[in-house]
Amino acid sequence: MDVELAKTFLEVVNAGSFIKASERLHVTQTAVTARVRSLEQLLDCTLFVRNRAGARLTAQGEKFVAHATALVQTWEHARNQMRLPEGHKTRLYLGGETSLWNPLLLNWVQWIHSCQPDVAVDARVDDPTLLITALERGLLDAAIVHRPNYYSGFTVEQLLEEKLIHVQTQGNPGTNLFINWGEDFVRQYDAALPQPRHSAYSFNLGLLALQIMLRNGGNGWFRTRVVEKYLASGELERVKGSPEFTYPVFVTYRAGIDNEPLRIALDGLLETVTPESRWEV
């Protein structure tokens, strides 16, 4: 199937109409309509219902969004691999969770830049589920995550042991802040604490919760490497008697692939994981 058909389909989805899609693609509306019709003929289904408000996906169209996205991503990945910048012999596709890009992914890319100057890098920060999916589809070579999936054919190595500890602003427990650190944390939390998991403030990003707590007071569970400087300065203190939870970090990649640049980069990643690294998120 022509990748341009999938790209046009996704553009109509994002734009909400054939007219806006044609403007974004710099082609005529007739061309957009013809491409969508060709795609519908290939798939033997109707993808859009057109009305005055624009274009609405059918049930079949909703299902095809994921397939079209994967197709376009795979094509872009292949094209990038074939077209390397001058002076580079290959490209590595690396990923990291939002809460791990600084410092782990940042230091890793910096190490490759310094020690593998002939290797190009495509770095992606994303939700862990999307990173794992990209690994499965071959769109990533390796990813740094907290909760890997142990698929057959993938190697998982622990990078470091992190913990989530209960801290509060000095002398001011204030508001309870609940940070959702993932399914494993929620299970550990519910098993260890008798009180229900209710809070006026809840977050899925630790950095945001930390800044709110530092400004307004409060308490919550945070990663040790992030809050250690605030504990040292006295801005925060540990809550006595509270449990701590494990929160390890892993790197996962395809096993058995003959990729020497990736192997060297993985060795470099281990070198960059040091206690002195400054954690920001």
Side-chain angles (χ1 to χ4, degrees):
M1 185 180 74
D2 188 345
V3 176
E4 286 302 319
L5 300 184
K7 287 183 176 180
T8 301
F9 166 78
L10 291 174
E11 199 60 61
V12 175
V13 172
N14 293 328
S17 74
F18 282 55
I19 295 176
K20 291 181 180 179
S22 67
E23 294 172 353
R24 293 184 181 185
L25 294 169
H26 304 291
V27 299
T28 65
Q29 184 181 347
T30 301
V32 171
T33 301
R35 291 177 187 178
V36 172
R37 284 178 179 171
S38 296
L39 185 56
E40 289 177 331
Q41 289 173 358
L42 287 171
L43 297 172
D44 192 24
C45 69
T46 300
L47 298 171
F48 293 102
V49 174
R50 300 177 67 176
N51 52 42
R52 292 181 179 179
R56 178 174 57 84
L57 285 169
T58 63
Q60 293 92 333
E62 292 278 3
K63 292 179 181 179
F64 186 63
V65 170
H67 297 294
T69 302
L71 177 64
V72 171
Q73 288 178 342
T74 301
W75 168 250
E76 294 296 336
H77 180 82
R79 189 173 66 171
N80 286 338
Q81 282 284 66
M82 298 301 103
R83 298 192 309 178
L84 289 167
E86 184 177 352
H88 294 77
K89 65 180 182 181
T90 191
R91 185 188 301 273
L92 291 178
Y93 293 82
L94 310 176
E97 286 190 31
T98 304
S99 63
L100 294 174
W101 77 265
N102 189 358
L104 295 183
L105 187 58
L106 171 62
N107 290 348
W108 193 13
V109 173
Q110 181 61 43
W111 186 94
I112 294 172
H113 175 75
S114 300
C115 301
Q116 293 179 281
D118 57 351
V119 175
V121 174
D122 188 311
R124 171 179 174 181
V125 177
D126 217 329
D127 176 87
T129 303
L130 297 178
L131 294 176
I132 296 298
T133 300
L135 273 172
E136 291 180 308
R137 293 176 176 170
L139 302 177
L140 282 180
D141 294 309
I144 303 172
V145 295
H146 276 296
R147 189 169 176 265
N149 285 340
Y150 294 86
Y151 292 110
S152 175
F154 283 84
T155 297
V156 176
E157 297 181 6
Q158 183 169 321
L159 290 177
L160 53 87
E161 178 65 51
E162 178 68 299
K163 292 182 179 180
L164 296 167
I165 60 174
H166 194 190
V167 299
Q168 64 185 24
T169 44
Q170 187 69 260
N172 177 23
T175 304
N176 294 325
L177 307 178
F178 179 78
I179 302 92
N180 188 342
W181 294 104
E183 295 179 12
D184 287 345
F185 167 72
V186 171
R187 280 195 294 269
Q188 293 182 76
Y189 184 98
D190 289 344
L193 299 170
Q195 67 266 34
R197 188 173 10 102
H198 295 306
S199 175
Y201 293 88
S202 59
F203 306 84
N204 69 345
L205 181 63
L207 180 61
L208 175 60
L210 178 61
Q211 293 304 315
I212 292 294
M213 185 173 69
L214 290 172
R215 293 182 184 187
N216 303 309
N219 70 93
W221 270 262
F222 293 88
R223 294 184 305 175
T224 53
R225 286 176 172 82
V226 174
V227 299
E228 59 184 6
K229 65 179 180 181
Y230 300 104
L231 292 171
S233 68
E235 293 177 78
L236 298 178
E237 62 184 5
R238 293 195 63 164
V239 178
K240 296 180 180 179
S242 289
E244 56 184 35
F245 305 105
T246 59
Y247 201 50
V249 179
F250 302 88
V251 61
T252 179
Y253 55 93
R254 283 187 180 275
I257 294 181
D258 185 17
N259 188 334
E260 183 70 7
L262 177 60
R263 185 193 63 77
I264 295 173
L266 289 169
D267 290 341
L269 173 60
L270 296 177
E271 290 182 21
T272 67
V273 180
T274 64
E276 293 76 26
S277 298
R278 183 178 178 183
W279 289 64
E280 298 291 346
V281 296

